[in-house]
Amino acid sequence: MAREALLELRGVSMAFGGLNVVDRLDLHVDEGEIVSVIGPNGAGKTTLFNLITGVYEPIDGDIVFAGESIAGLEPHKITQKGIARTFQTLRLFLNMTVRENVMAAAYGHTKAGAFRSMLRTPGQRREEREIRALAEERLAFFGERLMGYRWDQPAYSLSYANRRRLEIARATATKPRLLLLDEPAAGMNPRETQEIAELIGKLRTDGGYTILVIEHDMHVVEGISDRVVALDHGVKIAEGTFDAVATDPRVVEAYLGTGGMARK
Amino acid sequence: MSTLSVLFDASHVLASQRWDEFLQQTINGLTLGSVYALIALGYSMVYGVLKLLNFAHGDVYMVGAFIGFGMIQWLGFRGAGDTWAPVVSTWFVLLVVLAVSMAGTAGLGVAIERFAYRPLRDAPRIAPLISALGVSFFIAYSMQLMFGSQQRDYNAFGIDNGKLFLDGVDIGNVRVPLLRIIIIVSAFVLMLLLWLLVTRTRTGKAMRATSFDREAAAMMGIDIDRVIVFTFVLGSALAGPAGVMFALRAPASVTMGFVAGLKGFTAAVIGGIGSIPGAMGGGLILGMAEAYTQGYISSKWSDLFVFVILIGFMLFRPQGLFGKADIRKV
Amino acid sequence: MSDDRLDPYDSGSLSAPLPGAAEAAAAEGATSPAVGRDEWVARHGANLAGRGGIVGTIQARLASVPWWAWLAVLVAIVALIPVGFESGYVRRVAFDTLIYMLLALGLNVVVGWGGLLDLGYIAFYGIGAYAYAMLSSSHFDVHLPSLVSIPLIVALGAVVGLLIGLPSWRLSGDYLAIVTLFFFQLFITITTNGDDVFGIDLTGGSNGISGVAASVDPLSFFGWELPQLTDAGAFNVAYIYVALVVFVIVFVALRFVNLSRTGRAWRSLREDPLAAEMMGMPINWLKLMAFSFGAAVAALTGTIFASLNAGVFPNTFQFPLLITVYAMVILGGAGSMGGVVLGAIIVNVLLEVLREPGDARYVFYVVVLAGLVAVLRFSVRLVVVLGGTILLGFAVHVITSVVSDRAVAGSPAGGGFLTGAVDRWVVLPDSLGAWAPISYVALVAAVLLLTTISGWWRIAALVPTLYLGAFVWENVMLAKPEPTRYILLGAILVTLMVARPAGILGERRVEIV
């Protein structure tokens, strides 16, 4: 019953100048899994996301998605193949409305070109309606938060937590199979954090997405993950269930230094 | 036998003619290239520190030429009927002309930075570029308003009874007039001074740090404003003498800045924009390329040739000859 | 598409919570301080709405007028110009303004939507014009009918745009600026020297392609020709209507593109190129498309221009025209179609008015006055400045006239009812000599200095600066309209970028870090 992993990194390395930021990393995410990536700052977690999404090209190794090698592809092509992400520092289209933010992300799987748009062909108008409906549906996923009058508000008017949710909604509008969430709970209070954790679970069960999460908040990691991968200085130092990884001495050392104590 | 010897002699003459032609064009290229290098340096340094293409630089160069014109008229051609009757020796006059034009263009450059670029330091990239366009236009047409659109001839031949052209050095059969020697030598001296200032002084090091990473440099305690002003002073100061050197050989007009600016750009890009040795090298290469095309092909189409070179570089080596490839970071 | 649940202009809403706020608060749970969040939204809506009171209400009503209504009004006005004005000059200006409006629309796509600096834009305009002159004239004796040549040339413009934009694929916008600048220079070289390309007269050289050497065909539709001049030798107004139709078509087409997924992608690209790419948008291709679109619009405009002008000359397609169109786009507001059209009208009318010293004088004083009112509002300071300047002027005039007759012997250029007042107020020497450049430089320095000081020092410094400005304007600038117009355009560009980059109608962008 060996399923082929949805995403697989084989011996991936990345360096800036002479500095190795990711070193022969092997990682896999199976379809339907929620995998968390943890590690101290500078461990290479966001670089990992950048490698997967094509911002960087690995200097060594391969990245395989759904059986196809995606290393070296352009980022928008990778997104069109089914990988979407959010950003550690939010990167919304602030001056566009909430709905427009999400509609924009539908570009990759729609095809009305500029000519058809100029002429407003029936096909183009139908596609516009579909895109709009898709955006509203994705926003509805978050309950009442991003509904109704909010759709026409500019994104900069949203609260911080709502912006994070919007970014996730936008990512899902690209119709991905794999979602990369970069610190989705950053800057949230405990109640919002709890909500995000539930949301991530809901994204898997109701949305059917496979999810790879970078997260610092261990409550969240514990609550959502099927599997946890720990990185330090670009190298995988532990992998397994949350309990196994959290008590792994190498992980503890990476976070707390030698002579540190267990997390609890 | 005699036919052969005639042919042999003929080919000798032809070969030496070819060699002379080549030498001549090379000297042309060096002269032209020196001017381009000085202009290119201004572009490169400002781009390195501000990531801004200072379109107004060409017009600063033009102002330098005009300042030089005024100075030469005032200090040199004071005799009856505008003849050469300098206050002091010719050499001194030339030196003063160079120095004053340097000071003038440096001041202009600083003013431009202060009023047209500094307020836009954190604006999106396109904003200072458009501002630069506006400044370029403003300066060029202000000069036209004040001084009219006709060309100003330095009357270099009139300087000291044509000494700049009659004296010179002979390399083989080719005579290199004194003027060219002065131009090439002064340009190199200036570039050397610049090189020393940039590599040996603290502000020079600060400049290089800023061009690498402005935010980090600021966090290290470097006064970014001072560094930027310093850069503009250096870059614009070089444009003045460049204008004077050019105008000694061809009439100056208010529109000369535009084309010179283009060539300066191209030179900076070829050498690797942001790189000082690159600007120097790029300028010389461009000057040579233009001289050879003008000499051997046609002067009308040398611009096309230069454009092709530029496109070639952009397609195959956008970082220029001496630049470093850009590392994209998120 | 106004949501009538949201009416921030309802004066009651400043204190009342937004409709839907209560539901949102309930959704967020009992512990969430929905008051804080939604009140910010409500306040923000009101802030964005602009000032309260009458001005605010007017602004609001204007903002809710649909775009096509504005377009219809504009079309109606332009269509009535030939009816209302018999003067060939006015009609020609109307045509030229339409051309500029088209050019501004095209440049807006590149600069405003694509965020690219295209310094060769006018070359595409020139290519369109020259191509028309080659394909529909007796130059090569090819007389393609307009309905064939024009679409062909539009396509040509788009293709050349693609080719020129291609080298900067993936490189920064600066490189594109350099390439386009050089492309422009090349275009100028080819058109000016193109009368001898391997023995072929390609572009007519500096004489261009015109009625002298080769007659350029007028527009023709289905065999029916539109002569450029009427039988009486006057400008054929039909061309205004043709240009108007083309303008409407281009405007509507661009509007539809902007509302579509391509327009959304361009907006996303402007907001955050990296995020846009991560959301599946091919940003390099999108930029290239914007560039190519602009080139196509420019080429189209070139054909219309060439057909009316009955000739093309290298002189037309030069750098000053590029700066003029840029000034129009930036002044009107890059990114806003209505804005750049407005900018085109304002700038072209301004430039026309500046041709005649008498009229130009009015513009100067009106603009300065308007500027002062805008900055100082109706206040004590305004009175002080105006009063002070007037008094200073008379005082200086009287003193100089006593000291030297020649200093006031000159007379104001041009005509108009202000000349009498100007003659007594501004010092007008009969010849300026070296004072011309000195006073000009002093004025520039004074204006720049003004920006560095503030408070009452600034008010005090404003008085002599204004008088100096009037002096320079009357004595130096009015006499030379050509450099003056470009000086003003350059100054407009710099000032806008520094003080109000959004121009008149451009997007006021919020950038919260």
Side-chain angles (χ1 to χ4, degrees):
Chain A
M1 239 242 336
R3 268 180 320 183
E4 192 182 77
L6 182 61
L7 174 76
E8 198 174 335
L9 275 76
R10 301 174 189 155
V12 169
S13 298
M14 179 64 196
F16 291 125
L19 184 66
N20 257 12
V21 283
V22 174
D23 197 13
R24 281 163 297 176
L25 185 63
D26 290 315
L27 188 84
H28 72 96
V29 184
D30 295 326
E31 184 127 32
E33 266 197 304
I34 298 182
V35 176
S36 293
V37 177
I38 66 172
N41 281 327
K45 309 189 294 290
T46 302
T47 311
L48 170 66
F49 272 20
N50 288 336
L51 281 164
I52 298 174
T53 52
V55 178
Y56 304 144
E57 193 177 337
I59 59 175
D60 206 6
D62 199 9
I63 305 178
V64 179
F65 180 70
E68 214 186 317
S69 169
I70 60 171
L73 283 185
E74 286 184 1
H76 62 90
K77 288 248 162 44
I78 294 181
T79 306
Q80 285 166 16
K81 294 217 182 280
I83 303 181
R85 73 175 289 180
T86 63
F87 298 90
Q88 188 177 359
T89 56
L90 284 166
R91 296 186 88 122
L92 287 174
F93 306 133
L94 289 174
N95 289 287
M96 289 162 64
T97 64
V98 167
R99 191 201 272 116
E100 264 199 314
N101 263 269
V102 184
M103 283 171 78
Y107 189 93
H109 57 83
T110 47
K111 57 186 185 22
F115 276 123
R116 287 203 283 159
S117 303
M118 278 197 286
L119 301 171
R120 295 253 270 181
T121 63
Q124 186 259 346
R125 280 186 289 170
R126 184 170 27 91
E127 196 183 66
E128 273 296 296
R129 286 195 296 273
E130 284 168 12
I131 295 175
R132 205 180 159 93
L134 172 72
E136 291 174 0
E137 180 208 325
R138 295 290 186 229
L139 286 163
F141 193 85
F142 297 84
E144 285 303 309
R145 295 257 182 278
L146 295 170
M147 285 291 284
Y149 76 97
R150 283 252 152 85
W151 286 340
D152 293 305
Q153 303 266 289
Y156 59 71
S157 69
L158 290 182
S159 66
Y160 178 79
N162 275 340
R163 288 193 198 185
R164 285 241 170 242
R165 294 176 190 122
L166 175 60
E167 210 181 39
I168 298 176
R170 184 181 66 173
T172 62
T174 63
K175 292 198 182 168
R177 287 172 71 180
L178 173 65
L179 265 180
L180 305 178
L181 303 178
D182 198 339
E183 299 197 34
M188 296 209 181
N189 64 41
R191 203 182 47 76
E192 290 163 343
T193 305
Q194 174 64 17
E195 259 189 67
I196 278 287
E198 285 169 7
L199 182 79
I200 296 177
K202 194 174 157 203
L203 280 170
R204 189 250 299 266
T205 40
D206 294 349
Y209 304 109
T210 308
I211 306 178
L212 185 62
V213 185
I214 294 176
E215 192 41 71
H216 277 300
D217 188 329
M218 291 305 157
H219 296 288
V220 176
V221 175
E222 187 176 9
I224 61 172
S225 321
D226 298 329
R227 211 166 20 102
V228 176
V229 172
L231 298 183
D232 187 25
H233 288 95
V235 171
K236 181 163 69 175
I237 55 175
E239 181 174 2
T241 63
F242 176 79
D243 288 317
V245 170
T247 51
D248 186 316
R250 284 188 67 181
V251 174
V252 175
E253 183 188 325
Y255 270 102
L256 300 174
T258 47
M261 321 166 308
R263 184 187 67 85
K264 284 224 172 44
Chain B
M1 271 301 131
S2 67
T3 337
L4 210 58
S5 72
V6 167
L7 280 174
F8 192 67
D9 284 332
S11 74
H12 237 235
V13 170
L14 217 60
S16 82
Q17 265 183 354
R18 287 236 187 90
W19 171 249
D20 290 342
E21 174 80 27
F22 177 73
L23 201 57
Q24 182 66 57
Q25 293 306 340
T26 309
I27 303 290
N28 283 349
L30 274 177
T31 324
L32 206 53
S34 306
V35 174
Y36 288 158
L38 289 174
I39 303 177
L41 277 166
Y43 279 122
S44 246
M45 291 199 300
V46 167
Y47 187 85
V49 161
L50 272 185
K51 297 288 175 287
L52 165 72
L53 290 172
N54 181 12
F55 289 123
H57 192 61
D59 299 280
V60 171
Y61 154 86
M62 176 267 291
V63 171
F66 271 76
I67 293 178
F69 176 78
M71 293 302 300
I72 272 199
Q73 292 292 108
W74 186 48
L75 288 179
F77 291 101
R78 327 181 83 222
D82 280 342
T83 51
W84 185 255
V87 188
V88 283
S89 81
T90 306
W91 289 108
F92 192 72
V93 169
L94 287 178
L95 210 63
V96 170
V97 166
L98 227 64
V100 172
S101 71
M102 270 178 87
T105 49
L108 182 61
V110 168
I112 294 175
E113 190 275 324
R114 170 69 180 78
F115 290 105
Y117 301 153
R118 196 181 296 185
L120 299 172
R121 213 163 289 155
D122 296 318
R125 283 276 276 273
I126 205 176
L129 283 174
I130 294 182
S131 182
L133 273 183
V135 172
S136 168
F137 239 55
F138 185 82
I139 293 180
Y141 283 96
S142 292
M143 294 296 281
Q144 185 174 326
L145 182 76
M146 294 190 281
F147 303 115
S149 52
Q150 78 268 35
Q151 296 177 330
R152 307 292 165 127
D153 196 338
Y154 266 41
N155 192 11
F157 203 80
I159 296 180
D160 212 358
N161 304 315
K163 182 175 157 130
L164 292 176
F165 292 91
L166 298 175
D167 282 358
V169 153
D170 284 320
I171 305 182
N173 285 338
V174 173
R175 154 142 277 218
V176 184
L178 186 60
L179 179 60
R180 307 235 178 172
I181 298 177
I182 292 179
I183 290 179
I184 297 176
V185 167
S186 347
F188 271 88
V189 166
L190 284 171
M191 289 195 267
L192 185 66
L193 277 174
L194 178 78
W195 179 243
L196 288 174
L197 275 171
V198 168
T199 47
R200 297 294 160 87
T201 64
R202 270 181 58 197
T203 325
K205 292 204 179 94
M207 201 175 100
R208 281 177 295 145
T210 313
S211 66
F212 195 69
D213 188 333
R214 195 200 302 172
E215 269 179 39
M219 288 193 271
M220 292 297 122
I222 291 178
D223 184 345
I224 300 294
D225 280 347
R226 262 187 69 193
V227 166
I228 291 178
V229 170
F230 179 74
T231 311
F232 267 85
V233 166
L234 287 184
S236 311
L238 289 177
V244 172
M245 289 174 198
F246 180 86
L248 280 169
R249 296 183 51 228
S253 74
V254 294
T255 51
M256 67 192 262
F258 180 58
V259 175
L262 273 186
K263 305 269 177 74
F265 266 153
T266 314
V269 169
I270 289 177
I273 195 154
S275 149
I276 288 177
M280 297 184 194
L284 289 170
I285 292 175
L286 188 67
M288 304 285 224
E290 200 174 298
Y292 292 140
T293 5
Q294 280 183 355
Y296 290 121
I297 306 180
S298 137
S299 58
K300 270 207 295 189
W301 301 107
S302 65
D303 281 348
L304 174 63
F305 186 67
V306 170
F307 185 48
V308 169
I309 297 182
L310 178 74
I311 295 296
F313 265 92
M314 296 221 161
L315 286 176
F316 302 114
R317 207 185 152 89
Q319 70 267 37
L321 291 171
F322 300 96
K324 291 185 269 266
D326 224 346
I327 300 178
R328 277 221 281 178
K329 272 206 215 153
V330 181
Chain C
M1 204 191 74
S2 62
D3 183 351
D4 53 27
R5 285 177 293 166
L6 257 183
D7 191 6
Y9 315 121
D10 178 351
S11 59
S13 74
L14 277 173
S15 46
L18 281 183
E23 292 81 357
E28 314 222 38
T31 53
S32 101
V35 164
R37 272 178 241 159
D38 294 303
E39 201 171 274
W40 189 88
V41 169
R43 255 189 295 126
H44 192 84
N47 283 340
L48 264 193
R51 289 145 48 209
I54 298 183
V55 181
T57 325
I58 297 180
Q59 265 182 345
R61 299 288 178 237
L62 286 179
S64 59
V65 172
W67 63 272
W68 43 264
W70 287 116
L71 185 63
V73 167
L74 180 66
V75 169
I77 294 177
V78 174
L80 288 176
I81 286 183
V83 173
F85 295 89
E86 293 244 327
S87 148
Y89 170 72
V90 173
R91 291 170 173 189
R92 181 68 205 229
V93 168
F95 178 81
D96 285 341
T97 311
L98 280 168
I99 295 287
Y100 278 119
M101 282 154 65
L102 275 167
L103 284 175
L105 277 180
L107 188 62
N108 182 46
V109 179
V110 185
V111 176
W113 293 347
L116 304 166
L117 195 63
D118 179 359
L119 296 177
Y121 183 68
I122 296 298
F124 296 115
Y125 175 51
I127 285 177
Y130 267 87
Y132 182 82
M134 290 184 202
L135 292 177
S136 298
S137 72
S138 55
H139 185 70
F140 292 133
D141 239 349
V142 175
H143 294 272
L144 288 181
S146 305
L147 287 175
V148 172
S149 62
I150 293 184
L152 211 64
I153 294 172
V154 172
L156 174 71
V159 168
V160 177
L162 273 176
L163 290 175
I164 298 298
L166 220 41
S168 339
W169 182 270
R170 273 201 238 213
L171 299 177
S172 73
D174 306 334
Y175 282 95
L176 183 69
I178 300 176
V179 171
T180 50
L181 189 60
F182 228 107
F183 170 61
F184 192 17
Q185 180 58 19
L186 204 67
F187 173 80
I188 294 175
T189 310
I190 293 180
T191 50
T192 325
N193 294 324
D195 46 355
D196 186 13
V197 183
F198 308 116
I200 310 175
D201 180 2
L202 198 63
T203 65
S206 37
N207 293 324
I209 301 176
S210 72
V212 175
S215 68
V216 173
D217 297 341
L219 289 178
S220 65
F221 302 104
F222 305 113
W224 180 60
E225 267 194 5
L226 215 60
Q228 290 110 344
L229 302 172
T230 62
D231 297 324
F235 167 81
N236 184 356
V237 290
Y239 273 84
I240 292 186
Y241 294 113
V242 169
L244 189 59
V245 167
V246 171
F247 170 76
V248 171
I249 293 176
V250 170
F251 191 96
V252 170
L254 286 178
R255 183 102 204 161
F256 285 160
V257 172
N258 200 26
L259 290 175
S260 74
R261 93 192 237 275
T262 311
R264 262 196 305 278
W266 280 335
R267 269 193 293 286
S268 312
L269 169 60
R270 276 207 297 293
E271 289 290 322
D272 190 332
L274 180 71
E277 190 160 20
M278 296 289 124
M279 293 300 121
M281 298 178 243
I283 57 174
N284 290 322
W285 168 239
L286 284 166
K287 286 188 185 174
L288 196 58
M289 245 216 299
F291 191 81
S292 183
F293 249 92
V297 172
L300 173 62
T301 315
T303 60
I304 308 289
F305 172 77
S307 65
L308 173 75
N309 217 33
V312 289
F313 309 94
N315 256 3
T316 319
F317 311 103
Q318 302 265 352
F319 211 48
L321 183 58
L322 181 80
I323 297 292
T324 310
V325 182
Y326 262 92
M328 292 171 173
V329 167
I330 300 294
L331 178 65
S336 157
M337 287 174 65
V340 303
V341 168
L342 186 64
I345 296 174
I346 293 177
V347 171
N348 194 34
V349 167
L350 184 74
L351 289 180
E352 284 302 321
V353 171
L354 283 178
R355 282 189 207 276
E356 189 51 45
D359 301 328
R361 167 175 299 119
Y362 293 133
V363 170
F364 175 77
Y365 290 108
V366 164
V367 167
V368 169
L369 207 59
L372 285 174
V373 170
V375 171
L376 297 175
R377 308 291 153 91
F378 293 106
S379 67
V380 176
R381 293 180 298 167
L382 182 68
V383 171
V384 167
V385 169
L386 283 179
T389 313
I390 294 176
L391 287 175
L392 177 69
F394 280 121
V396 170
H397 188 93
V398 164
I399 295 175
T400 31
S401 62
V402 163
V403 166
S404 146
D405 268 340
R406 283 190 56 202
V408 290
S411 53
F417 74 88
L418 275 180
T419 46
V422 165
D423 201 15
R424 274 178 288 252
W425 185 61
V426 179
V427 172
L428 293 164
D430 59 354
S431 84
L432 271 179
W435 284 107
I438 292 175
S439 60
Y440 180 77
V441 172
L443 177 64
V444 173
V447 170
L448 289 177
L449 194 70
L450 274 181
T451 63
T452 59
I453 58 184
S454 57
W456 279 100
W457 286 112
R458 183 186 278 193
I459 304 293
L462 202 52
V463 171
T465 308
L466 283 175
Y467 187 66
L468 181 59
F471 177 81
V472 170
W473 179 259
E474 294 287 343
N475 286 298
V476 182
M477 294 177 92
L478 274 188
K480 296 189 179 182
E482 201 214 324
T484 301
R485 68 199 332 226
Y486 295 123
I487 290 175
L488 289 177
L489 286 178
I492 286 177
L493 274 178
V494 178
T495 318
L496 279 172
M497 278 293 124
V498 170
R500 196 188 160 108
I504 299 178
L505 293 180
E507 324 172 311
R508 305 251 241 134
R509 306 173 61 76
V510 174
E511 254 152 305
I512 304 180
V513 178

